């Protein structure tokens, strides 16, 4: 899974109580436990039951681990060791607080955060291996993968289907799954149920939803349900019909003030980061300075704490439209197109498959 925790089995090296100096009182108590393991009936007949665990308390270096190994040695069982934080990571997952810490620390240290979208396992694996901090399963999958004009038709089921594939491919990157149109706007209850289902079914780390003050009750309730939330303000594509098109936001004084208020409100409601889409660079800097959670910019200039791009845009794979703020990092679209033509020609002129492919 995604956990970095390791459980290792060490040889008990035949360590027994006699090998552990001092601690005679502790050894006596532990010897009874060991005897229970060897002769349970003797104890159950007397009405005793096995304790669920043992706590060895003492300052570092006083032989607690040796004693634990001796219990394993005396009982003739392997010794398993796992640290407290590894235990939490393995059995509880990254956890809401760790997600928040990861992004908070980056902002505090002034380290830029990188995010890209992905919608499938193989792309997520490549982004993860490249060290991208966060992978967004954006509802832009409506445009890029499903061929819709807008993100409006995307469903919770679509997000779960693609979100689960991405989560399977991402070992270290934070996986964020978008909540699609009308999966949270309708009520706080719907928001929590849908966020919960998305998280349960995809095994993602957190969800993202669009909007400022108006969706703060939803952000608070989802966060209270231990599901970290990334907010998204500025140009919010699910509201394209209300905006009357995909336009830069926050251009008037009033709109700029509203954006700063929205950023403060989503932070207050519990969001651990906020996407700023298509807002003037100066305003994005102001927002970034006004809040303590990281801002992730897209078409919002260099002053944000991190950047996100739609991966198909930065690889020039999506040709329906290309926003002005996108930089092409590789012309993968052209490479694919040439490869498809070469394959077509090779099959037709019988040069593929050759002997070595048979
Ligand atoms: O859906 C998406 O890809 C997004 C990014 C553009 C931030 O929300």
């Amino acid at each position: 899974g995604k956990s970095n925790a390791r459980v290792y089995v060490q040889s008990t090296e035949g360590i027994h109580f006699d090998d552990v100096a001092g601690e005679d009182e502790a050894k006596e108590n532990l010897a009874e436990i060991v005897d229970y393991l060897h002769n349970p009936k003797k104890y159950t007949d007397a009405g005793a039951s096995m304790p669920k665990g043992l706590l060895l308390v003492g300052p570092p270096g006083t032989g607690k681990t040796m004693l634990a190994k001796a219990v394993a040695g005396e009982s003739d069982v392997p010794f398993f060791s796992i640290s407290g934080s590894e235990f939490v990571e393995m059995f509880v997952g990254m956890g809401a607080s760790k997600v928040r810490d990861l992004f908070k620390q980056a902002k505090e240290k002034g380290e830029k955060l990188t995010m890209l979208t992905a919608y499938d396992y193989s792309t997520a694996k490549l982004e993860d291996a490249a060290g991208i901090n966060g992978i967004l399963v954006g509802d832009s999958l409506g445009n890029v993968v499903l061929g819709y004009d807008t993100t409006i038709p995307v469903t919770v089921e679509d997000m779960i289907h693609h979100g689960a594939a991405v989560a399977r491919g991402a070992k270290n990157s934070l996986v964020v799954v978008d909540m699609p149109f009308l999966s949270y706007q309708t009520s706080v209850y719907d928001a929590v149920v849908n966020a919960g289902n998305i998280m349960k079914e995809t095994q993602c780390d957190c969800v993202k939803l669009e909007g400022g003050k108006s969706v703060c009750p939803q952000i608070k309730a989802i966060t209270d349900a231990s599901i970290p939330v990334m907010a998204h303000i500025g140009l919010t594509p699910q509201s394209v019909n209300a905006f009357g098109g995909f336009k830069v936001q926050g251009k008037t004084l009033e709109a700029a003030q509203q954006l700063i208020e929205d950023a403060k409100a989503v932070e207050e409601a519990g969001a651990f980061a906020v996407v700023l889409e298509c807002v003037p660079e100066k305003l994005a800097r102001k927002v970034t300075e006004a809040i303590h959670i990281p801002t992730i910019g897209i078409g919002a200039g260099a002053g944000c704490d991190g950047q996100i791009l739609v991966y198909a845009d930065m690889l020039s794979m999506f040709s329906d439209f290309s926003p002005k703020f996108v930089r092409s990092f590789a012309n993968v679209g052209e490479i694919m197109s040439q490869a498809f033509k070469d394959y077509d020609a090779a099959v037709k002129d019988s040069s593929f498959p050759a002997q070595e492919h048979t």
Side-chain angles (χ1 to χ4, degrees):
K2 291 161 67 69
S3 171
N4 294 323
R6 287 179 311 276
V7 177
Y8 50 94
V9 185
Q10 290 180 341
S11 154
T12 58
E13 290 149 5
I15 294 173
H16 292 90
F17 286 141
D18 286 347
D19 303 317
V20 185
E23 310 293 348
D24 287 338
E25 202 181 318
K27 276 195 268 180
E28 251 171 53
N29 292 331
L30 291 170
E32 201 160 73
I33 304 280
V34 173
D35 191 44
Y36 187 111
L37 289 171
H38 289 305
N39 309 293
K41 195 164 178 315
K42 185 169 114 191
Y43 291 84
T44 47
D45 283 353
S49 56
M50 181 70 170
K52 291 200 170 54
L54 283 170
L55 198 59
L56 299 177
V57 184
T62 51
K64 296 185 298 296
T65 307
M66 275 294 271
L67 214 46
K69 282 183 180 173
V71 172
E74 295 278 352
S75 312
D76 207 18
V77 294
F79 175 72
F80 285 79
S81 172
I82 183 168
S83 74
S85 59
E86 284 172 340
F87 182 89
V88 170
E89 196 174 317
M90 174 166 254
F91 295 103
V92 184
M94 268 187 89
S97 67
K98 192 156 176 198
V99 171
R100 270 192 291 271
D101 286 352
L102 195 80
F103 273 61
K104 196 164 170 262
Q105 277 170 23
K107 176 150 184 151
E108 281 164 7
K109 290 187 203 152
E111 287 168 3
K112 294 275 185 187
L113 288 157
T114 54
M115 289 192 69
L116 282 173
T117 67
Y119 317 100
D120 67 277
Y121 171 79
S122 300
T123 309
K125 249 182 110 173
L126 288 169
E127 291 179 5
D128 185 76
I132 299 300
N133 298 126
I135 302 180
L136 170 69
V137 190
D139 61 354
S140 51
L141 89 88
N143 309 104
V144 177
V145 179
L146 303 175
Y148 300 131
D149 286 345
T150 69
T151 56
I152 307 271
V154 177
T155 64
V156 170
E157 288 70 30
D158 292 332
M159 297 312 304
I160 287 176
H161 186 69
H162 290 268
V166 167
R168 285 192 286 270
K171 298 271 172 281
N172 299 305
S173 310
L174 187 84
V175 177
V176 189
V177 176
D178 255 343
M179 298 194 67
F181 183 58
L182 286 198
S183 68
Y184 57 95
Q185 292 94 337
T186 42
S187 72
V188 169
Y189 176 83
D190 286 351
V192 177
V193 169
N194 284 317
N197 278 337
I198 288 172
M199 189 169 233
K200 275 207 270 196
E201 301 289 327
T202 64
Q203 310 246 341
C204 66
D205 297 303
C206 43
V207 298
K208 175 167 85 58
L209 53 79
E210 297 180 4
K213 263 190 182 157
S214 63
V215 291
C216 279
Q218 283 88 332
I219 293 177
K220 181 165 180 352
I222 298 171
T223 307
D224 285 349
S226 298
I227 301 168
V229 177
M230 181 176 279
H232 181 160
I233 58 176
L235 173 58
T236 46
Q238 290 175 18
S239 307
V240 60
N241 292 323
F243 290 149
F246 297 100
K247 297 173 184 162
V248 175
Q249 300 297 304
K251 279 172 55 174
T252 65
L253 181 62
E254 203 189 353
Q257 278 166 346
Q258 180 63 52
L259 194 86
I260 296 173
E261 289 311 308
D262 279 338
K264 287 181 178 170
V266 296
E267 175 179 23
E268 173 79 25
F272 74 90
V274 56
V275 169
L276 299 182
E277 180 164 355
C278 286
V279 297
E281 173 160 28
K282 263 193 180 166
L283 176 57
R285 273 187 201 279
K286 267 213 153 74
V287 172
T288 302
E289 283 160 16
I291 58 177
H292 305 95
I293 54 173
T295 55
I296 311 293
I298 175 161
C304 297
D305 298 306
Q307 296 291 327
I308 183 164
L309 283 175
V310 170
Y311 95 93
D313 285 342
M314 54 88 77
L315 295 181
S316 298
M317 288 170 68
F318 183 66
S319 54
D320 287 6
F321 55 87
S322 180
K324 180 175 148 268
F325 56 76
V326 171
R327 169 168 152 198
S328 173
F329 284 79
N331 204 338
V332 175
E334 207 170 289
I335 294 170
M336 286 172 77
S337 170
Q338 191 55 53
F340 297 151
K341 286 179 192 160
D342 291 349
Y343 168 75
D344 182 69
V347 171
K348 285 175 180 162
D349 69 15
S350 300
S351 60
F352 177 82
Q355 202 53 47
E356 67 266 30
H357 306 120
T358 308

